[in-house]
Amino acid sequence: QVQLVESGGGLVQAGGSLRLSCAASGGTFNIYTMGWFRQAPGKEREFVAGISRSGGSTYYADSLKGRFTISRDNAKNAVYLQMNSLKPEDTAVYYCAARSSGVAIVTDTLRYDYWGQGTQVTVSS
């Protein structure tokens, strides 16, 4: 069992940047594939980015590649999402998630075992 807590969300103008953090506790962090997801009002939760257990592999939603960067620091039990060139359509609640089954990075929300409470990101025009 692992607990996840996101932080770093807030209000930012279009074109600005935010860095989200996810702190993990209660588990062996380096056995989890980690992912970031987001959910806007009235829409389904969608995949943003994923990172392998060691941090050696990353994967991004096509529409976000080049603007967002996922990273992890296993010594600190943390995963990060650097978001640059933010757009109003990036406004959503962002969630950190952990997956313990399998080694591949996956994009399906159902394949992740643990979730944080979410942090709100609002991008103004």
Side-chain angles (χ1 to χ4, degrees):
Q1 185 180 19
V2 63
Q3 294 79 48
L4 305 173
V5 179
E6 304 96 333
S7 62
L11 176 64
V12 64
Q13 291 186 348
S17 298
L18 284 174
R19 180 178 170 87
L20 305 183
S21 298
C22 175
S25 62
T28 305
F29 185 63
N30 63 7
I31 71 171
Y32 297 104
T33 298
M34 301 297 297
W36 285 98
F37 294 77
R38 68 185 185 183
Q39 187 167 23
K43 301 183 70 175
E44 294 185 351
R45 193 167 300 184
E46 65 176 356
F47 174 79
V48 173
I51 189 166
S52 62
R53 295 172 176 179
S54 67
S57 298
T58 59
Y59 187 73
Y60 300 90
D62 288 342
S63 62
L64 303 178
K65 190 175 180 64
R67 296 195 297 121
F68 289 13
T69 303
I70 188 172
S71 61
R72 70 190 295 164
D73 187 340
N74 287 345
K76 297 181 178 180
N77 291 349
V79 62
Y80 308 97
L81 184 69
Q82 179 67 45
M83 306 187 296
N84 298 326
S85 302
L86 284 164
K87 305 174 181 179
E89 54 261 44
D90 294 321
T91 295
V93 176
Y94 284 71
Y95 297 90
C96 177
R99 176 175 182 262
S100 61
S101 180
V103 298
I105 301 171
V106 297
T107 63
D108 189 349
T109 59
L110 297 177
R111 305 305 297 171
Y112 286 79
D113 305 299
Y114 305 101
W115 295 84
Q117 83 290 345
T119 185
Q120 177 71 48
V121 172
T122 303
V123 184
S124 62
S125 60

